[in-house]
Amino acid sequence: MTEERLEQLLLSVQKPGRYAGNEPNSILKDKSSVDVRFAFCFPDTYEIGMSHLGMKILYSLFNSKDYIWCERVFAPWIDFEQVMRENDIPLFSLESHDPVSEFDIIGFTLQYELSYSNMLNMLDLAGVPLRSKDRNGLKNLVVAGGPCVCNPEPVADFVDIFFLGEGEEVDLEFIDLYRECKRDGISKEEFLKKAAKIEGVYVPSLYEVEYNEDKTVRSVTPKIEGVPATVKKRIMKDLDTTFYPDKFVTPFIEIIHDRAVQEVFRGCIRGCRFCQAGFIYRPVREKSPEVVNKQAKCLCENTGYEEISLSSLSTSDYTKLNELLGYIFEWSEDNNISISLPSLRVDNFSEDLLEKVKKIKKSGLTFAPEAGTQRLRDVINKNVTEDEIMNTCMTAFRGGYTNVKLYFMLGLPTETDEDLLGITKLGQRIVDAYYAMPERQKGKSVNVSISVSTFVPKPFTPFQYEPQDTLNEVERKQKLLVDSLTTKKITLSWHDSNTSILEGIFARGDRRLCDVLEEAVRLGCKFDGWNECFEYDKWLQAFQNVGVEPFFYNNRERKFDEILPWSHLDFAVSEKFLQCENMKAHSAETTPNCREKCSACGAACYGEGVCFEKR
């Protein structure tokens, strides 16, 4: 497509900067001089995809090789999709504006189950057959990675290859094999057999799934010899030497996280039983403060950003946070660069840390107690007491803050109405404590924002066996919370319950959902994570049309001896450990964090018997 035609068409849509490309630090190459063209597809809007750290890392890594040209592709918003379809414009990349159908490899990052419909819609826009079996030859090979790949079965019929775990090494090994097989004229079938031998690569077409009469999975077995019965995830052992970009593509328009992002560690020590990321990214591996500081400074210099976020699952658990902040302050304050500290913990938020946070964060503070009573916090292994929550809020108030945001979940296993009402009671106690402070700022009002999401059981967590609340029960509990509010000092918000139900279905689904997904896309489903686009009735129609019972996947308990759709995948956390944690949850028994005591979760296998972190 010519630049002139693109410019003309973009005049009729909102935010044309989503599709123009040519941003600073974007990478242009001569397509005739590269061996492999890789379309990196993010199945959501530009603003969300451009905020994703994994895409930034792999985009730079792939393009550091002179024989690979990696280009970015995002899901067009509904206004531009209409323009594209009316004018017969196929989905194109931002760098060259070439059609995606011209690329060797079409790669998706799957961060969220409700993006699956966008993945299929993007393939349809590209004119690429949706089903793997309908794509012949090595061109348009569809691959995928990301956290949803820990259960890829609901999209297994559409993707040729999944990458389990972290991609910096395995992705390049795969691309190098692809380059070699493309040069030698190897068939797609032979290539897939070779790729399946790379650790961390899962080729779903090489596995056969059988079902029991009760609709549960009987077995998942390789179809041919040489294919591993269990596919093991890949990790990067030494983050100090792992590739990290020295610059990011700098967008022309504002994105969701419009700042430089610096990763400080991977994994989490905590073991919250609801948190998938806390288990699938084990073991914990930290970068040294010297490397983090050097990379952060370089990013700010090369992008022009005036804010940098120190990224991890729990940044205040970084063992050398104070030392790191000291390094960064040496250059950030003089250059008016602010620092964002996401994922602060209630139980290690000290006055010393507050003094540092006050220099870098001017808005309210956010914490995640997750549950309203101590019993339920013990069930989910949050390991946070109400006194710690209160002390943290009081520390923030004494430091001059008057806005506190608290995250909770609704529908957690063993939850009672008393647990639920504990959420608003805790909010009220915080409000009362603020007004009881003699040293509070006179004339300033307090606001406690309570955000409540619906619990979704996820694979590779101790709660993978638990039923999810029905839609009626979720709505009843939401009303109970609203009716329990007694002050306007508390702001209550919650997520759409229908989307949480669908997320729960696909999170623990099997390959029979592939037909449902394809039918839903045919009916017009897309951008299901967006309230203005989500159409629950169409999804229910899709389930009915293909004869699949949706609530089989989320409203029932799994027995420990049931073969789960993802049982043939190994994310280093043992099934025995998850079952033990599930039983402890039902007894409201907590497990110490990894720094206090090793729980023998299985992740030590990557460290030859011990985890990387010294205790």
Side-chain angles (χ1 to χ4, degrees), residues 151 153-154 209-218 457 464-471 501-514 516 536 540 543-544 547-559 562-566:
N151 178 26
E153 297 305 288
V209 182
E210 295 183 339
Y211 299 94
N212 296 309
E213 289 185 4
D214 64 359
K215 301 180 182 179
T216 59
V217 175
R218 177 185 298 171
Q464 66 180 3
Y465 310 98
E466 299 293 327
Q468 185 182 18
D469 273 356
T470 64
L471 181 59
I501 297 300
L502 186 64
E503 180 186 345
I505 292 169
F506 275 89
R508 295 185 294 172
D510 53 42
R511 292 192 185 186
R512 288 170 294 195
L513 292 181
C514 292
V516 178
Y536 189 57
L540 294 180
F543 278 101
Q544 182 178 336
V548 172
E549 166 54 45
F551 306 115
F552 167 79
Y553 294 101
N554 63 343
N555 292 156
R556 69 179 183 88
E557 180 184 356
R558 275 79 167 161
K559 302 298 184 184
E562 179 177 331
I563 295 176
L564 302 171
W566 54 90

Side-chain angles (χ1 to χ4, degrees), residues 202-269:
Y202 171 48
V203 183
S205 62
L206 299 183
Y207 294 78
E208 183 170 4
V209 182
E210 295 183 339
Y211 299 94
N212 296 309
E213 289 185 4
D214 64 359
K215 301 180 182 179
T216 59
V217 175
R218 177 185 298 171
S219 64
V220 182
T221 53
K223 293 180 180 178
I224 59 174
E225 291 186 7
V227 175
T230 301
V231 183
K232 185 178 180 180
K233 76 168 182 178
R234 292 285 288 271
I235 70 164
M236 303 303 298
K237 294 184 178 181
D238 183 1
L239 293 191
D240 276 355
T241 59
T242 296
F243 175 88
Y244 202 79
D246 58 4
K247 55 182 174 290
F248 295 156
V249 178
T250 308
F252 289 129
I253 65 173
E254 186 176 357
I255 60 176
I256 300 300
H257 300 299
D258 206 6
R259 60 183 75 96
V261 182
Q262 178 57 50
E263 187 179 36
V264 295
F265 72 91
R266 294 182 186 177
C268 183
I269 66 171

Side-chain angles (χ1 to χ4, degrees), residues 553-614:
Y553 294 101
N554 63 343
N555 292 156
R556 69 179 183 88
E557 180 184 356
R558 275 79 167 161
K559 302 298 184 184
F560 285 168
D561 61 355
E562 179 177 331
I563 295 176
L564 302 171
W566 54 90
S567 291
H568 58 300
L569 307 179
D570 181 2
F571 274 75
V573 178
S574 72
E575 195 168 26
K576 180 180 179 181
F577 169 75
L578 295 177
Q579 292 171 358
C580 179
E581 284 294 292
N582 181 277
M583 291 186 287
K584 290 173 73 173
H586 283 271
S587 301
E589 180 183 349
T590 61
T591 297
N593 72 57
C594 296
R595 287 188 184 136
E596 294 174 334
K597 181 182 178 182
C598 179
S599 300
C601 71
C605 64
Y606 283 95
E608 299 177 354
V610 294
C611 285
F612 293 98
E613 205 168 70
K614 295 180 181 179

Side-chain angles (χ1 to χ4, degrees), residues 38 103-108 110 119-120 123 128-145 149 152-164 174 177-178 187-198 200-207 223 227 231 511 514 568-569:
F38 192 108
F103 284 71
D104 297 302
I105 304 169
I106 303 171
F108 287 90
L110 301 179
M119 179 178 74
L120 265 61
L123 289 175
V128 173
L130 302 186
R131 299 262 175 175
S132 303
K133 62 181 179 60
D134 297 326
R135 297 189 297 266
N136 299 316
L138 286 185
K139 193 173 184 181
N140 294 166
L141 198 75
V142 176
V143 303
V149 169
E153 297 305 288
V155 291
D157 290 349
F158 311 109
V159 178
D160 296 303
I161 284 177
F162 293 99
F163 302 112
L164 275 59
F174 156 77
L177 175 65
Y178 180 91
S187 68
K188 178 179 178 179
E189 292 71 22
E190 289 303 311
F191 168 75
L192 292 178
K193 293 176 186 177
K194 291 176 179 288
K197 296 178 182 179
I198 300 175
V201 169
Y202 171 48
V203 183
S205 62
L206 299 183
Y207 294 78
K223 293 180 180 178
V227 175
V231 183
R511 292 192 185 186
C514 292
H568 58 300
L569 307 179

Side-chain angles (χ1 to χ4, degrees), residues 191-408:
F191 168 75
L192 292 178
K193 293 176 186 177
K194 291 176 179 288
K197 296 178 182 179
I198 300 175
E199 185 175 79
V201 169
Y202 171 48
V203 183
S205 62
L206 299 183
Y207 294 78
E208 183 170 4
V209 182
E210 295 183 339
Y211 299 94
N212 296 309
E213 289 185 4
D214 64 359
K215 301 180 182 179
T216 59
V217 175
R218 177 185 298 171
S219 64
V220 182
T221 53
K223 293 180 180 178
I224 59 174
E225 291 186 7
V227 175
T230 301
V231 183
K232 185 178 180 180
K233 76 168 182 178
R234 292 285 288 271
I235 70 164
M236 303 303 298
K237 294 184 178 181
D238 183 1
L239 293 191
D240 276 355
T241 59
T242 296
F243 175 88
Y244 202 79
D246 58 4
K247 55 182 174 290
F248 295 156
V249 178
T250 308
F252 289 129
I253 65 173
E254 186 176 357
I255 60 176
I256 300 300
H257 300 299
D258 206 6
R259 60 183 75 96
V261 182
Q262 178 57 50
E263 187 179 36
V264 295
F265 72 91
R266 294 182 186 177
C268 183
I269 66 171
R270 295 293 173 171
C272 299
R273 292 174 178 137
F274 59 85
C275 180
Q276 184 182 63
F279 290 98
I280 67 173
Y281 293 131
R282 290 187 177 201
V284 171
R285 293 142 290 149
E286 290 192 348
K287 284 186 183 180
S288 66
E290 294 82 6
V291 170
V292 173
N293 179 59
K294 180 181 178 181
Q295 291 177 344
K297 188 172 186 291
C298 188
L299 273 180
C300 289
E301 290 173 346
N302 290 339
T303 61
Y305 276 118
E306 296 180 345
E307 180 181 359
I308 188 160
S309 173
L310 301 182
S311 174
S312 73
L313 293 176
S314 180
T315 301
S316 53
D317 282 330
Y318 182 63
T319 54
K320 296 182 179 180
L321 181 58
N322 286 332
E323 181 181 348
L324 172 61
L325 291 176
Y327 287 152
I328 295 178
F329 285 151
E330 289 179 4
W331 55 267
S332 63
E333 290 183 297
D334 291 341
N335 292 283
N336 294 317
I337 293 173
S338 62
I339 307 167
S340 172
L341 290 178
S343 308
L344 296 175
R345 286 274 304 188
V346 167
D347 56 345
N348 57 12
F349 187 78
S350 63
E351 290 190 10
D352 180 50
L353 181 56
L354 176 68
E355 288 304 309
K356 290 182 170 62
V357 169
K358 284 171 68 176
K359 295 181 180 180
I360 58 184
K361 187 178 180 71
K362 307 303 181 185
S363 57
L365 294 171
T366 301
F367 302 99
E370 308 293 2
T373 63
Q374 193 58 50
R375 185 199 73 82
L376 195 54
R377 284 192 291 274
D378 290 344
V379 167
I380 64 176
N381 204 46
K382 187 65 182 177
N383 282 323
V384 169
T385 67
E386 186 154 326
D387 285 345
E388 286 172 329
I389 297 170
M390 294 302 301
N391 289 338
T392 294
C393 291
M394 296 303 291
T395 298
F397 293 153
R398 285 192 296 268
Y401 288 87
T402 57
N403 294 311
V404 175
K405 186 168 187 177
L406 303 176
Y407 284 112
F408 294 91

